[in-house]
Amino acid sequence: MKSDFNLLPLFLAVADTRNFRAAADRLGVTRSAVSQGVRRLEDQFGAQLVARTTRAVSLTEAGQRLRDALSRPMSEIAGAMERGADDAVPRGHLKIAVTSIAEAFLSGPLVASFAAAYPHVTLDVTVTDEEFDIVAEGFDAGVRLGEVIEQDMIAVPLTGEQREMVVAAPAYLDRHGRPETPADLLQHRCIGWRPGPQVAPYRWEFRTDDKSFSIAVEPQISSNDLRFLLRTALAGGGITFATADTFRPHVERGELVSLLEDHLPPFPGFYLYFPQRSDLSPKLRAMVDHIRRTRRAD
């Protein structure tokens, strides 16, 4: 397809302003004209250039390459247009923001097998529990619980249903007894998780007789690091609460005891999510396909 260089000013305005409305105002055209022009340019380029959500606009890796090329001589710009997305081989830098509780992604095997299968993709994983717009912050995708993902995102299942688990070491229970109801936790030393230093510890959520409720346990020990909570519980420091995947191996070995199981129903699991788009970059498509293959194999 012959390149239409008349579309480049539209793209450049979006790249500079990171906003379709502002780009339209700069060029004296309608927002629709800018949006349609950028889409036509993407069709010519053979890859998505701009990541869009209802809240933010950012350049994809391919878009940044084109933006860089626009500061070079015209011959190089034409070459960049002709090369487009290079080829269908997954390559480039894939940035993913992952919640610290997504054990299925962070445990190692998924990422290790992805790296082996796609040697030309560099994977940059930021573990964070902060809530932010992944597009505005320059991430290609994120991993979070399905119930907190924005509706304008595409969500690919990473796990099946999850459930929380309340655990303590046998040594702690020998000294302090075993809670029989969620309310009994208020009389115990608890170890709580919080997403950040300025955020209150997470309330522990339960369900009894089809009624959901939460308990603010006022933990004596709290942290945003699940590994610290786990190690403290293993050392007999108190009772803690997190997704079952975090504790299951230790429960199976008898190092921790699962408590209050009848009060902890399942809930939707973790998903890889990213902005809606008609075509995925090869690197992100590779991650989506790898997750789907891994789930089928489990």
Side-chain angles (χ1 to χ4, degrees):
M1 180 184 295
K2 185 177 179 181
S3 299
D4 184 355
F5 292 102
N6 292 322
L7 299 176
L8 291 176
L10 300 178
F11 166 74
L12 187 59
V14 173
D16 288 346
T17 62
R18 305 300 169 98
N19 184 284
F20 279 84
R21 176 66 65 189
D25 291 343
R26 172 189 286 190
L27 298 173
V29 298
T30 66
R31 184 186 184 282
S32 176
V34 173
S35 179
Q36 293 177 19
V38 170
R39 288 191 182 278
R40 290 200 303 274
L41 185 64
E42 289 176 324
D43 290 340
Q44 295 175 20
F45 197 77
Q48 185 180 17
L49 301 172
V50 179
R52 318 157 175 81
T53 70
T54 56
R55 300 172 301 281
V57 172
S58 68
L59 297 183
T60 64
E61 188 174 15
Q64 188 60 53
R65 285 202 308 270
L66 180 58
R67 176 65 184 86
D68 293 341
L70 291 176
S71 63
R72 302 170 188 160
M74 184 57 68
S75 61
E76 294 190 26
I77 296 174
M81 291 287 290
E82 291 170 1
R83 288 191 301 272
D86 292 328
D87 51 45
V89 176
R91 64 179 71 247
H93 197 60
L94 185 61
K95 294 183 63 179
I96 303 180
V98 183
T99 176
S100 68
I101 61 176
E103 185 71 13
F105 192 95
L106 298 174
S107 60
L110 177 70
V111 170
S113 57
F114 176 83
Y118 301 99
H120 300 298
V121 178
T122 56
L123 186 60
D124 185 342
V125 176
T126 296
V127 180
T128 176
D129 294 301
E130 294 183 26
E131 295 185 8
F132 57 82
D133 188 320
I134 58 171
V135 172
E137 296 301 322
F139 288 92
D140 297 289
V143 174
R144 299 182 73 185
L145 287 170
E147 60 192 23
V148 297
I149 295 174
E150 298 288 347
Q151 292 186 351
D152 63 347
M153 293 286 175
I154 299 296
V156 177
L158 176 65
T159 70
E161 287 188 327
Q162 297 285 294
R163 59 183 294 271
E164 304 282 12
M165 190 177 281
V166 178
V167 299
Y172 174 87
L173 298 177
D174 289 343
R175 292 193 304 269
H176 301 281
R178 182 183 183 121
E180 299 299 331
T181 70
D184 293 342
L185 292 168
L186 298 175
Q187 308 305 317
H188 282 267
R189 182 188 307 132
C190 292
I191 308 166
W193 178 82
R194 53 177 172 73
Q198 307 303 322
V199 182
Y202 184 76
R203 294 175 66 94
W204 296 10
E205 299 176 347
F206 299 95
R207 189 173 182 84
T208 299
D209 297 329
D210 295 327
K211 181 180 180 181
S212 297
F213 61 96
S214 62
I215 293 181
V217 297
E218 298 184 3
Q220 183 177 352
I221 305 166
S222 62
S223 175
N224 66 331
D225 186 346
L226 278 180
R227 292 171 299 176
F228 171 74
L229 304 187
L230 171 61
R231 290 194 292 262
T232 303
L234 287 168
I239 299 175
T240 194
F241 179 98
T243 52
D245 286 350
T246 303
F247 302 132
R248 187 172 289 111
H250 303 278
V251 171
E252 292 173 350
R253 292 195 294 266
E255 299 165 346
L256 294 172
V257 177
S258 178
L259 307 167
L260 303 172
E261 291 183 350
D262 292 341
H263 301 278
L264 296 164
F267 55 88
F270 293 96
Y271 290 76
L272 177 81
Y273 69 99
F274 45 87
Q276 295 190 44
R277 57 190 64 165
S278 57
D279 59 330
L280 294 183
S281 64
K283 59 183 179 179
L284 183 53
R285 169 59 66 189
M287 176 58 75
V288 170
D289 291 344
H290 188 71
I291 287 173
R292 286 173 172 161
R293 285 195 300 270
T294 300
R295 287 205 70 205
R296 287 196 298 268
D298 289 343

